[in-house]
Structure formats: C-alpha cells, structure tokens
C-alpha cells in the first residue's frame, strides 16, 4: 500500500471514530471539503502542514496518521 493509501485509510478510520463528516472536519480545520475528500480517497498528495491540521482535532500525531500499523486496531 502507498503512503497516500495508508493516510487515506487511517484518516477515514479516525474521522468516523470521532463521528465527524468530511465536510465537518474540513470546515473545522479551514480546509476545502474537496481537498480533504481527495486525501481520504488517496488521490491527493498532502503536505506535512495539511496532515498536522488534520491530525490535531483527531487527537493523533502525523506519525500515527501515516503509520501502517498504528491505527489498525
């Protein structure tokens, strides 16, 4: 699996675990819903800053968001 795929899978898992919609999370962090959707589908190449903005309200680190094994529980 690619890094973009790992980020997409972990983002989906954490976002839904927190009961957030894509739109709700995107607006909360000042990101366009379209861009967040592309990240979650593994088609965008997010910057470290974008990953930091996403990870913070989810209560996780960028390392956890990009980890192949951390969030699969």
């Amino acid at each position: 699996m690619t890094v973009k795929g790992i980020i997409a899978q972990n983002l989906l898992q954490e976002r839904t675990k927190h009961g957030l919609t894509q739109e709700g999370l995107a607006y909360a962090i000042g990101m366009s819903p379209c861009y967040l959707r592309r990240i979650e589908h593994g088609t965008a190449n997010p910057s470290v800053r974008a990953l930091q903005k996403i990870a913070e309200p989810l209560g996780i680190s960028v390392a956890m968001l990009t980890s192949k094994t951390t969030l699969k529980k």
Side-chain angles (χ1 to χ4, degrees):
M1 181 178 292
T2 66
V3 174
K4 290 192 293 187
I6 292 166
I7 292 168
Q9 184 177 15
N10 290 342
L11 173 54
L12 173 63
Q13 178 181 325
E14 285 297 301
R15 181 182 59 73
T16 56
K17 183 169 96 177
H18 285 81
L20 297 168
T21 64
Q22 286 178 343
E23 292 79 14
L25 178 58
Y27 289 124
I29 62 176
M31 183 179 285
S32 83
C34 180
Y35 183 51
L36 184 64
R37 189 173 304 112
R38 288 181 46 231
I39 294 170
E40 194 169 296
H41 284 107
T43 60
N45 191 16
S47 67
V48 173
R49 179 67 188 128
L51 295 176
Q52 289 171 329
K53 287 173 72 172
I54 293 167
E56 186 176 317
L58 298 176
I60 60 174
S61 67
V62 171
M64 291 174 71
L65 192 59
T66 61
S67 175
K68 193 176 197 179
T69 59
T70 304
L71 298 176
K72 303 300 183 263
K73 299 173 186 168

